[in-house]
Amino acid sequence: MKLAFVIPAYNEEALIGKCLESVLAEIKRSGADADVIVVNNASTDRTGEIAASFPGVRVVDEPKKGLVNARDAGFAASEGYELVANIDSDTIVPEGWLDVVMREFSKDSKLVCLSGPYVYYDMALHNRVLIGLFYGLTYLIYVLNRFVLRVGSVVQGGNFVFKRAAWAAVGGYDRSIEFFGEDTDVAVRLSKVGKVKWTFGLKMKTSGRRLEKEGVFRTAGTYTLNFFWVTFRGKPMTKDYTDIRPQ
């Protein structure tokens, strides 16, 4: 299976290099047939320049700022790939990540999307413990929504892979969603055409800057509110969000 990494990036000159180093190292280690697309999303810093300096990385520009706009532009650029891995520019792909992806999609032809949790590598221990408890609740909600209520599933934004054909079949990205709820929209709509699996086996390292800045409980509350709003109402409740970048 041929896979494309799609990485949206807005003013991420401080972290995009580490992200790409991890992606390219994992592709080389695994031997997977994979390429990398960075979407330079209206950046005003050196994000695009840094990304383009990595051999084999393709940079596409999306002048309309917004996470979903960037993901959609990357999706359009991924034509010809069976799988699209959607990660973020502040993530670090751990060793073995592609092995899990390829194994899960190879063993189940009905699987259309695979996702898993974040590991916040730069957060204080007490916050990581709280997040661990939150992910325990997330798994319970995943089981309830997917297997009991059958109203959707769970997808972690910045750590999910879907079959390109399946996403095209359900209409692709909804650009009216700016930030919160984009991952739940993916989960709900793809659940209508196949299996959407969330597993602790697919962990992704990422920066905890948003959680540290806005607070774990406040951020978790916002995500949870929009999760249920998109699941049962079809649209997120929260439209406004704050851009948080390393100082």
Side-chain angles (χ1 to χ4, degrees):
M1 289 178 283
K2 193 173 183 180
L3 178 147
F5 281 92
V6 169
I7 310 172
Y10 166 71
N11 285 355
E12 290 285 16
E13 64 179 10
L15 296 176
I16 188 65
K18 291 182 180 179
C19 174
L20 291 175
E21 287 172 359
S22 71
V23 171
L24 294 172
E26 177 61 1
I27 292 173
K28 182 178 180 181
R29 183 208 61 79
S30 66
D33 186 3
D35 294 311
V36 184
I37 301 168
V38 172
V39 182
N40 187 24
N41 187 207
S43 297
T44 57
D45 64 2
R46 297 178 58 245
T47 295
E49 179 186 343
I50 293 170
S53 71
F54 284 81
V57 172
R58 177 156 56 113
V59 178
V60 299
D61 290 312
E62 170 50 61
K64 187 174 182 181
K65 185 174 172 293
L67 176 63
V68 178
N69 295 326
R71 290 213 201 282
D72 192 32
F75 179 71
S78 69
E79 188 174 357
Y81 295 85
E82 183 178 356
L83 299 176
V84 179
N86 299 275
I87 69 173
D88 289 336
S89 50
D90 59 354
T91 56
I92 297 176
V93 180
E95 184 176 318
W97 192 88
L98 277 173
D99 294 339
V100 175
V101 170
M102 295 303 176
R103 181 171 64 247
E104 291 288 342
F105 279 99
S106 294
K107 73 180 183 182
D108 189 348
S109 62
K110 294 183 179 179
L111 183 67
V112 295
C113 186
L114 182 70
S115 185
Y118 276 150
V119 174
Y120 294 93
Y121 62 82
D122 57 358
M123 290 188 70
L125 179 60
H126 68 280
N127 280 334
R128 281 184 283 166
V129 171
L130 288 175
I131 292 164
L133 295 174
F134 176 75
Y135 273 130
L137 177 61
T138 298
Y139 187 77
L140 292 177
I141 293 173
Y142 159 69
V143 172
L144 179 66
N145 277 16
R146 181 181 171 191
F147 298 106
V148 180
L149 299 178
R150 299 183 183 277
V151 293
S153 187
V154 169
V155 164
Q156 172 75 66
N159 186 26
F160 64 100
V161 185
F162 56 48
K163 285 184 176 176
R164 194 181 194 285
W167 189 230
V170 298
Y173 287 101
D174 180 355
R175 285 202 178 206
S176 70
I177 298 175
E178 295 185 25
F179 185 81
F180 292 110
E182 54 94 16
D183 44 9
T184 305
D185 182 57
V186 171
V188 170
R189 290 199 282 137
L190 281 179
S191 292
K192 297 176 181 179
V193 296
K195 296 179 181 178
V196 177
K197 182 177 181 178
W198 193 89
T199 172
F200 284 105
L202 191 73
K203 292 183 173 68
M204 175 70 73
K205 296 180 181 180
T206 193
S207 170
R209 60 190 178 180
R210 177 173 294 278
L211 291 175
E212 293 277 13
K213 185 75 173 181
E214 296 189 341
V216 172
F217 286 106
R218 178 183 175 185
T219 305
T222 302
Y223 274 93
T224 301
L225 175 65
N226 285 289
F227 172 83
F228 285 112
W229 214 259
V230 173
T231 298
F232 295 105
R233 300 289 297 272
K235 293 288 184 180
M237 181 178 183
T238 304
K239 292 186 177 180
D240 296 331
Y241 65 97
T242 303
D243 287 319
I244 298 173
R245 296 295 179 267
Q247 301 298 316

